[in-house]
Amino acid sequence: MTWRTTLWHSASRDTSPAIALVLCALESEYQAVRRHLCDLETRVHRMGTRYEVGKIGGTPWTVAMALIGPGNIGSAALAERSVAAFDPAVLVFSGVAGALKDDLRLGDVVVATRIDAYHGGKATEDFRARPVTWAVSHRLEQVARHVAINGSWTSLLTEAERRSAPAVHLSPIAAGEVVVASRDSALYRYLNLHYNDAVAIEMESAGLANAAHLNDALPTLAIRGISDMADSQKTSADRSGWQRRAAGNAAAFAISLLSSLDPLEFGNKSDGRTPHDAVAPARPGPSWSPTQSFSTDSRATNFLPRDIPITGRAIETERVIRNSDSVPEVLVIDAVSGMAGVGKTTLAVHIAYRMIPQFPDAQFFIDLHGFTAGHPPLDPKEALGVLLGMIGLSADEIPQSIDARSYIWRSQVARMRSVLVLDNALNAGQITPLLPGTATCRVLVTSRRRMTGLDNARSLSLSCLSRHESVRLLGQIVGMERILSDRSSAEEVADLCGRLPLALHIAGSKLREHAGWSIGYFRKKLTAAQSTTQTLRADEKGIAASISLSYSGLPEECKRMFRRLGLHDGPVFSADSAAALADTDSEQAETQLEILYSHSLLEESTDGRYHFHDLLRDYAKDMARRIDSAADRKRSIERLVFSYVETSQAASLVVDPHSRNSGGTSVSDCMGPEFSGRDEAMKWFESERLNLMAVIRQAADLHLNDGLIRLAESVSAFLNIRGYAPNAVEIHQLARDASGVMQDGRSMMIAAENLGAALWEIGDFSRAGQEFDQALALAKRLRDEPAIARLLDRIGFTLERTGDYATAVTCLHESLSIRQRVNDRYGEAKTLNSLGAVHWRQHEYGAAMDCFKKALRIRREVSDRYGEARTLSNMGFTLARTEDFQGAFRYLNEALQLAVRLDDRQILSTVHNNLGYLKCSTGHYTEGLESAERGLTFARQAGSMYQEARALDASAKNFEGTGNTDEALRLFRQALDIFEQLGVPESGEVRTAVRRLDHRSL
């Protein structure tokens, strides 16, 4: 039986593009808008102005954009030229501005409700202003308010950008001809007096508004991201990247605003042509127009399933559609792959409907049942019979041989401009006989497997939706009012569904069926469920049922690998870790990982590394619990732990060759892989850090104490160097507990020492001292003199931080004596450095320099580069106290260069802070603020509260030097809070500064 449906042809509709003109003054502003557009092509005005014209994916809007440079005069001229050239429906300026009000924050977005051009005037005895004020389009302003309220525009920002929570302000903007870079300037005072409701200042919007006025009040809007506070810190804000971030926020809001506009509502006048032939393509376009009218065959057929609205996928859709906008020489195939439930079929059908204007003669769809429960894959011969029936052949007319069927199919389809959707394909062999032979047809293939063996196929791999898109999809099913009543729970439900369209549809259906369930109640049900894949079940569409079809088609060794990978709690895995889990070699593991990837049961992270989708991981864990014994599962994790032990020990001895002497790694003979150098070892550690943390936690849960202790020791040096102190505290606490269970004195000593060192780095000096004391007692019981000397040094340095200098000197001299006796040159330099710090605290700068010079000489002899950088920094800071500023700069700059090469965040924070103090002492306050700001960044990355407080203190001193006592007082108070919490001597000096500035303000 065959059937035909009426072909919908877009030629009957008004397909004129909606044109928006977007102008920018700076390159950073232009690039921020440009990244949101697709199908970009260059146009050149007859007078030389260059434009780029592109589309906003998933919307009817075409955007013409130009870079016009700063200044109102230039913006007026080029805006007028651009409006005449493109005849746009709306005109938008997207860029940055300075804040005139303190309640604005860097990165906030300001949408101008009024534009004040304040520079016009008459000079008599004084300056008599003749300001011009331009009102913005009421209709555009209302849309902007809606976009600001619903917050959807932030979906165009990255996760990190959204965390900073930029606010949107709809307020007046002042537009002039000069940059305001000081709040002490006469111009700033003038603005504050006469334009005190303007919240931001810039240099282009007045010209833009004038051009809009001259073009029949063209709807116009200025959107500005706050890049500076219009004060003396403008240069610092620019260097910190705020101009780029502010431009990105403004562009995201502008694109979201345009996407929300209805072209018909704004009376677009453009017919898609370039008025007066003013601009032309920079290069020849396609030989035929994709919107060209075609005669439609009266027998035209459409066998596509119903097109349903899709959420997200705009980029993927436009990518495929764009590829259909030119005449290819050979058949074009788009192969859409992805895991079960990711929305492959829905997307392919939607794209096929979008392609009807280009391929109007017929639209074919066939389900090949490659992965359908209870249905075997469709044989190619049978599939050809179905397709031939679609084009009108009766059963008697269809030959029996597959070759004959394929020939007739190709010859008939060659006469049509058509779309063929081959859905749910098993492999390339199933679909090859079904392919047309000419480029007059476009083919869309969907499969859970990647069609690597298919000639001329362009691969499109679908991943899960974003959180914003997932919540929007839930809202379409259950109603946005219900979602907005508890958006945070809705976001958690989306995450628990793995942001997978099928899972979201099932979850939404359950919520729609149970109208009495709150979103929070359903979230708790999903959270409490042992297996999310089993809970999200809707008849045969359950997630577990869909995944099981992919799993059941695997070879047995790949099934086993899939289950073993589910045991790994780390975010990614390589062939080495997979081999350890499955008890095979790396070559076999790599082959099995490739098979799992080709079946869309794994996703590729980077070269040779893979990860699970959350629901696939959940399914793999569930299958492992069902099929594999608890003993087998534990042995897999144990093999993984010791695989990481071997590699991390080898990497640690390359990263820090002195770790044998510093308590970092107690293993003397390492059997792990070889690393070519420090950079490769550090790269391995960085890429595996989260895996290492996860495996250590698993070892603790399974009481794999020996592996846990050894692994914690071997990663200690890396965590110290890179400043992952909070991670170090966690794993060394686990190692300390495990060594206590084993009653292994040496392991207990090393774990306590490493825990103390990690606590010291985060600034918890009290607990650090307690751990060092316990480790020292164990070292004495073991009669381990190198360990005793090492721990006396650590105790002395801790006492130096807390102000007990007399006891610190006693401990350090005892440590120095032992280290000299056992000829521990590395340790001797370390103790001399600590002793110099105590002398510095007691203002004995000559004695301090003597110790530092001796330490530096030894550290260079033994190639202790980390120690060398620390000692150089100490020497520079000491000379600054003696007012030998030239010598101080020399040592600190040398320390900085070395710290940058080592990429040690702890050292970098210390050196930058010391430079911040030094530049304050020499009156270079702006440079001092920049150094302290860098020190603060590295301190927070390293989790060092002590260095964070020093950075705040250094910034406060520099602000006080500039005369900004309010900011200085605020930062002094923040530093004081931390110093008092740490119990360090610096709190006294900072407390005095707070009192002084408090008294001055009174």
Side-chain angles (χ1 to χ4, degrees):
M1 176 180 180
T2 62
W3 68 94
R4 296 190 175 96
T5 58
T6 303
L7 176 70
W8 179 89
H9 199 309
S10 65
S12 64
R13 304 182 63 208
D14 179 14
T15 58
S16 300
I19 297 180
L21 180 61
V22 179
L23 302 179
C24 302
L26 305 176
E27 183 179 352
S28 59
E29 302 167 346
Y30 185 90
Q31 293 291 356
V33 175
R34 190 179 189 272
R35 70 177 184 176
H36 295 293
L37 303 180
C38 58
D39 295 351
L40 285 166
E41 63 176 74
T42 302
R43 300 288 182 91
V44 182
H45 190 273
R46 57 187 173 83
M47 299 302 292
T49 306
R50 299 183 76 86
Y51 300 89
E52 282 191 290
V53 180
K55 297 176 182 178
I56 303 176
T59 78
W61 286 97
T62 294
V63 173
M65 57 185 302
L67 184 63
I68 62 174
N72 283 300
I73 296 175
S75 72
L78 289 178
E80 171 72 8
R81 172 178 296 174
S82 304
V83 170
F86 288 96
D87 194 19
V90 294
L91 170 60
V92 173
F93 193 98
S94 178
V96 301
L100 294 174
K101 301 296 183 183
D102 290 334
D103 56 345
L104 270 67
R105 296 186 306 164
L106 294 178
D108 282 359
V109 173
V110 177
V111 181
T113 57
R114 191 182 74 237
I115 299 166
D116 294 327
Y118 60 84
H119 261 133
K122 180 179 181 180
T124 56
E125 298 84 10
D126 56 1
F127 181 77
R128 297 184 180 180
R130 292 180 177 177
V132 178
T133 293
W134 306 98
V136 303
S137 161
H138 172 71
R139 194 180 298 273
L140 270 183
E141 180 187 335
Q142 289 299 300
V143 176
R145 290 188 184 278
H146 174 75
V147 172
I149 290 170
N150 67 34
S152 61
W153 70 277
T154 59
S155 65
L156 298 180
L157 304 177
T158 65
E159 199 75 37
E161 289 167 341
R162 284 198 294 272
R163 282 199 296 270
S164 63
V168 179
H169 308 264
L170 281 95
S171 301
I173 284 180
E177 301 302 324
V178 297
V179 175
V180 176
S182 172
R183 296 202 172 187
D184 293 329
S185 65
L187 179 55
Y188 182 86
R189 291 193 296 271
Y190 170 78
L191 290 170
N192 194 42
L193 179 63
H194 297 287
Y195 302 91
N196 54 34
D197 60 342
V199 302
I201 182 169
E202 36 89 345
M203 299 173 60
E204 293 83 28
S205 292
L208 194 80
N210 194 7
H213 170 71
L214 295 174
N215 282 275
D216 296 328
L218 172 67
T220 301
L221 207 59
I223 300 170
R224 298 284 184 166
I226 297 301
S227 63
D228 62 82
M229 302 304 292
D231 58 15
S232 60
Q233 301 306 309
K234 175 176 171 54
T235 301
S236 177
D238 289 348
R239 289 178 179 173
S240 299
W242 278 110
Q243 187 179 93
R244 178 185 56 78
R245 291 168 64 181
N249 291 349
F253 191 92
I255 293 296
S256 187
L257 175 107
L258 290 173
S259 302
S260 303
L261 301 183
D262 183 347
L264 298 178
E265 184 180 357
F266 282 84
N268 187 57
K269 297 173 288 182
S270 174
D271 61 359
R273 295 171 297 163
T274 302
H276 315 302
D277 295 325
V279 294
R283 54 184 182 276
S287 58
W288 61 283
S289 169
T291 57
Q292 176 182 341
S293 296
F294 297 110
S295 61
T296 305
D297 193 322
S298 61
R299 296 188 306 156
T301 52
N302 185 330
F303 295 98
L304 298 174
R306 180 172 61 92
D307 187 17
I308 62 174
I310 60 173
T311 300
R313 309 301 187 202
I315 294 175
E316 294 89 342
T317 300
E318 292 305 321
R319 172 182 163 187
V320 177
I321 295 295
R322 183 169 66 248
N323 290 337
S324 69
D325 285 351
S326 60
V327 179
E329 296 180 357
V330 295
L331 176 70
V332 175
I333 305 168
D334 286 284
V336 183
S337 63
M339 65 175 288
V342 81
K344 302 179 291 295
T345 301
T346 302
L347 178 64
V349 170
H350 179 72
I351 291 174
Y353 272 102
R354 289 279 303 275
M355 286 182 172
I356 288 176
Q358 290 95 318
F359 304 95
D361 295 341
Q363 298 79 42
F364 302 100
F365 177 93
I366 184 168
D367 185 350
L368 299 176
H369 297 293
F371 302 89
T372 303
H375 198 302
L378 198 62
D379 182 78
K381 178 181 173 181
E382 184 180 353
L384 281 166
V386 174
L387 290 170
L388 291 172
M390 288 181 184
I391 60 175
L393 273 70
S394 67
D396 294 337
E397 294 173 315
I398 299 175
Q400 291 302 309
S401 124
I402 185 172
D403 290 339
R405 290 185 177 191
S406 185
Y407 170 78
I408 295 175
W409 166 246
R410 288 196 303 272
S411 63
Q412 293 297 315
V413 176
R415 304 172 184 178
M416 305 178 184
R417 285 158 294 186
S418 57
V419 178
L420 170 62
V421 179
L422 301 174
D423 185 50
N424 198 10
L426 179 67
N427 51 38
Q430 185 188 28
I431 64 177
T432 298
L434 316 181
L435 296 176
T438 65
T440 58
C441 184
R442 280 295 300 275
V443 179
L444 296 166
V445 179
T446 75
S447 178
R448 297 188 191 180
R449 296 179 180 175
R450 289 166 172 81
M451 295 293 169
T452 54
L454 199 59
D455 293 337
N456 300 325
R458 294 188 290 221
S459 177
L460 175 62
S461 180
L462 293 187
S463 58
C464 55
L465 300 174
S466 70
R467 174 181 281 185
H468 174 75
E469 292 166 342
S470 301
V471 171
R472 195 170 70 188
L473 178 55
L474 282 174
Q476 290 173 358
I477 300 169
V478 305
M480 281 307 298
E481 297 84 0
R482 196 170 170 191
I483 295 296
L484 292 175
S485 67
D486 190 356
R487 186 179 179 89
S488 62
S489 291
E491 290 177 346
E492 290 189 51
V493 168
D495 290 341
L496 289 166
C497 291
R499 304 178 189 174
L500 199 65
L502 175 58
L504 291 164
H505 273 287
I506 295 173
S509 298
K510 286 183 179 291
L511 281 166
R512 188 172 56 193
E513 292 167 7
H514 298 275
W517 286 5
S518 68
I519 306 292
Y521 173 75
F522 185 59
R523 171 186 59 78
K524 291 177 181 177
K525 283 180 66 68
L526 286 179
T527 304
Q530 186 178 24
S531 171
T532 305
T533 55
Q534 296 297 329
T535 305
L536 294 173
R537 181 185 295 277
D539 300 327
E540 76 283 356
K541 291 185 178 180
I543 296 297
S546 297
I547 297 172
S548 68
L549 290 169
S550 297
Y551 172 80
S552 61
L554 294 171
E556 283 303 318
E557 66 273 12
C558 292
K559 290 181 180 177
R560 183 170 179 271
M561 174 63 81
F562 180 74
R563 299 194 305 271
R564 291 293 192 265
L565 291 173
L567 301 175
H568 188 358
D569 285 349
V572 296
F573 28 81
S574 62
D576 290 337
S577 55
L581 283 163
D583 197 17
T584 185
D585 59 64
S586 294
E587 186 175 347
Q588 287 293 322
E590 191 167 349
T591 300
Q592 292 168 25
L593 290 173
E594 281 288 338
I595 293 173
L596 293 173
Y597 173 70
S598 69
H599 283 69
S600 295
L601 291 171
L602 290 179
E603 297 178 21
E604 193 169 28
S605 297
T606 55
D607 292 343
R609 293 163 67 83
Y610 301 87
H611 66 274
F612 270 129
H613 182 280
D614 288 345
L615 294 183
L616 284 168
R617 181 192 298 275
D618 185 38
Y619 182 84
K621 283 181 179 291
D622 187 53
M623 292 300 291
R625 283 193 296 265
R626 292 165 178 257
I627 296 174
D628 302 319
S629 68
D632 281 344
R633 299 198 301 270
K634 183 174 182 178
R635 279 193 290 270
S636 286
I637 298 300
E638 189 169 17
R639 287 192 301 270
L640 179 65
V641 170
F642 280 97
S643 172
Y644 272 119
V645 166
E646 290 183 355
T647 309
S648 59
Q649 284 176 349
S652 181
L653 292 174
V654 174
V655 167
D656 184 10
H658 301 286
S659 56
R660 297 178 189 270
N661 305 318
S662 59
T665 303
S666 61
V667 180
S668 57
D669 296 316
C670 180
M671 301 300 292
E674 292 185 1
F675 288 90
S676 61
R678 179 183 180 277
D679 289 346
E680 184 185 0
M682 287 292 286
K683 184 178 180 181
W684 180 85
F685 266 129
E686 197 67 64
S687 65
E688 293 287 348
R689 179 174 65 90
L690 297 179
N691 285 332
L692 288 163
M693 294 296 299
V695 168
I696 289 172
R697 295 184 190 111
Q698 285 186 276
D701 291 340
L702 295 173
H703 307 293
L704 302 173
N705 295 325
D706 182 44
L708 186 161
I709 292 166
R710 295 171 64 184
L711 191 52
E713 291 175 26
S714 62
V715 301
S716 180
F718 162 73
L719 294 177
N720 288 339
I721 291 167
R722 293 295 292 146
Y724 295 118
N727 288 162
V729 171
E730 178 189 355
I731 67 165
H732 293 314
Q733 182 65 66
L734 292 174
R736 189 177 180 282
D737 295 343
S739 62
V741 171
M742 295 181 67
Q743 290 297 303
D744 180 341
R746 181 163 298 279
S747 294
M748 292 168 65
M749 176 191 74
I750 294 174
E753 180 181 356
N754 285 335
L755 177 58
L759 291 166
W760 193 97
E761 292 292 355
I762 66 172
D764 193 343
F765 302 123
S766 176
R767 284 182 60 202
Q770 293 171 14
E771 294 298 330
F772 292 147
D773 286 340
Q774 292 187 33
L776 178 61
L778 289 165
K780 289 179 176 178
R781 192 180 307 165
L782 294 168
R783 297 181 180 179
D784 186 338
E785 282 200 311
I788 292 170
R790 191 173 63 240
L791 286 158
L792 285 168
D793 180 11
R794 291 192 184 278
I795 291 169
F797 203 43
T798 305
L799 293 171
E800 175 265 329
R801 283 292 158 90
T802 58
D804 187 354
Y805 306 132
T807 311
V809 169
T810 300
C811 290
L812 291 172
H813 276 298
E814 187 177 351
S815 172
L816 185 61
S817 176
I818 297 173
R819 285 179 150 167
Q820 288 173 340
R821 185 171 67 248
V822 299
N823 196 30
D824 178 6
R825 297 285 284 166
Y826 169 83
E828 182 181 352
K830 200 169 183 303
T831 303
L832 283 167
N833 189 72
S834 302
L835 193 56
V838 178
H839 286 306
W840 182 92
R841 289 282 190 182
Q842 296 175 302
H843 309 292
E844 299 166 350
Y845 301 126
M849 285 299 292
D850 287 342
C851 289
F852 291 145
K853 287 177 181 178
K854 293 176 183 177
L856 181 63
R857 185 172 62 253
I858 298 173
R859 284 180 153 170
R860 284 174 170 170
E861 287 175 6
V862 300
S863 298
D864 178 11
R865 307 295 281 166
Y866 297 100
E868 181 181 349
R870 292 181 184 276
T871 301
L872 286 167
S873 179
N874 288 341
M875 294 172 76
F877 199 49
T878 304
L879 289 180
R881 287 302 180 97
T882 66
E883 298 188 356
D884 180 0
F885 298 129
Q886 186 175 0
F889 273 120
R890 184 174 67 254
Y891 280 120
L892 286 175
N893 284 329
E894 190 177 351
L896 180 60
Q897 292 173 17
L898 184 53
V900 169
R901 289 200 299 272
L902 295 172
D903 198 18
D904 186 316
R905 292 171 181 169
Q906 291 285 358
I907 301 175
L908 283 166
S909 65
T910 302
V911 176
H912 279 301
N913 287 341
N914 288 348
L915 282 167
Y917 283 119
L918 176 58
K919 290 171 181 176
C920 180
S921 299
T922 58
H924 297 85
Y925 303 121
T926 301
E927 294 178 11
L929 285 168
E930 292 172 359
S931 293
E933 186 176 335
R934 293 190 187 100
L936 182 63
T937 298
F938 285 116
R940 286 176 172 168
Q941 288 176 352
S944 174
M945 292 179 63
Y946 177 71
Q947 291 300 337
E948 179 180 350
R950 291 187 75 232
L952 293 168
D953 180 40
S955 293
K957 284 180 166 61
N958 280 288
F959 272 118
E960 186 178 5
T962 65
N964 190 344
T965 54
D966 289 342
E967 185 65 11
L969 182 57
R970 184 180 70 84
L971 294 173
F972 273 135
R973 284 174 173 158
Q974 291 183 18
L976 180 60
D977 288 343
I978 299 175
F979 281 142
E980 286 183 336
Q981 181 181 342
L982 299 177
V984 295
E986 285 89 345
S987 57
E989 181 184 344
V990 179
R991 192 179 300 111
T992 300
V994 169
R995 289 172 180 167
R996 183 183 70 251
L997 293 183
D998 268 336
H999 178 73
R1000 184 182 300 176
S1001 64
L1002 290 174

